[in-house]
Amino acid sequence: MISIAEKIDVPSPPARVWEIISDPSAVVSCVGGAELGESHDDGSFDGVLVVRFGGIRVKFAARITLELDQDEREGRLTARGRDGQGATRFSGGAVFRVTEDTVTGGTQVAMTGEMNLSGKLAPLIESGAGVVVARMAREFSAALVERCAPTDTADATPIAAPAERPGLWQRLRARLARLFGRDPSPTRPGKATSTPSRGVRP
């Protein structure tokens, strides 16, 4: 039996994290070697996961059922299947829950589960499962954090705009004014600053 107990810290709001983690296609995109297959009338769907245990590459095909509790932001996943050669069968389940991290203002995703295996490759898979699960958890965590990051300006943290730089004309006019002692006050482009004479008409 393989046991799973992971906690992932995501620096995004719980609503955003739940949106991603409750979507099978989004979750699959966060798991290397995973593919989403056909959906069935009962709500279940097919999935494929390729995992390397030492020097052996094993391809698992599974029938997966996902139950979601929107209010509690909790999900329950069950899966059963076998490897591509039929040498090993497996069945298992996992529960995941999305909660707000009141300390950081982000989100914590807690996952627990177990998988039972039987068949020729079961001893090999179980012996290397600890390393494989730890590696996959790290990769999934990094991908989930990236996927949950803001994708538009409405969600993104405002960034201060750079200070406005004077245009070419304004810079040139100011430099000429310093050279000739004129007042560099704004005028229309192409018009020089002049002071009207008093009391004398041409």
Side-chain angles (χ1 to χ4, degrees):
M1 183 179 72
I2 300 174
S3 297
I4 301 171
E6 299 290 337
K7 289 186 178 180
I8 303 173
D9 294 316
V10 184
S12 298
R16 173 60 177 166
V17 178
W18 174 255
E19 178 186 356
I20 297 299
I21 207 168
S22 62
D23 179 359
S25 61
V27 171
V28 166
S29 71
C30 297
V31 181
E35 296 179 8
L36 197 61
E38 182 182 358
S39 297
H40 302 281
D41 294 338
D42 62 357
S44 63
F45 52 91
D46 296 333
V48 174
L49 178 63
V50 178
V51 184
R52 186 176 294 278
F53 295 91
I56 298 179
R57 181 173 174 271
V58 183
K59 183 177 181 179
F60 295 103
R63 183 77 168 262
I64 304 166
T65 300
L66 179 63
E67 300 175 7
L68 300 173
D69 186 335
Q70 178 73 32
D71 295 334
E72 296 295 329
R73 290 185 179 142
E74 184 175 283
R76 181 178 298 274
L77 182 146
T78 58
R80 55 184 174 80
R82 61 183 182 179
D83 74 292
Q85 298 178 344
T88 305
R89 295 181 178 274
F90 69 90
S91 63
V95 175
F96 59 89
R97 186 178 179 87
V98 174
T99 57
E100 181 180 7
D101 188 331
T102 56
V103 176
T104 65
T107 301
Q108 187 174 85
V109 180
M111 296 184 291
T112 58
E114 61 182 33
M115 179 180 294
N116 297 295
L117 301 104
S118 61
K120 185 170 63 176
L121 295 179
L124 173 66
I125 294 173
E126 289 179 341
S127 65
V131 174
V132 173
V133 169
R135 184 190 71 235
M136 292 181 67
R138 289 194 303 270
E139 294 174 353
F140 177 76
S141 299
L144 180 63
V145 169
E146 182 178 356
R147 187 67 187 266
C148 291
T151 55
D152 56 41
T153 55
D155 295 333
T157 301
I159 299 175
E164 183 178 354
R165 299 181 62 184
L168 176 60
W169 169 255
Q170 287 81 1
R171 295 199 305 272
L172 179 60
R173 188 166 52 79
R175 186 170 183 179
L176 289 173
R178 286 196 300 271
L179 288 174
F180 296 100
R182 294 184 177 232
D183 178 14
S185 57
T187 60
R188 288 185 298 171
K191 297 284 187 177
T193 302
S194 62
T195 304
S197 56
R198 295 181 179 179
V200 180
R201 288 196 173 188

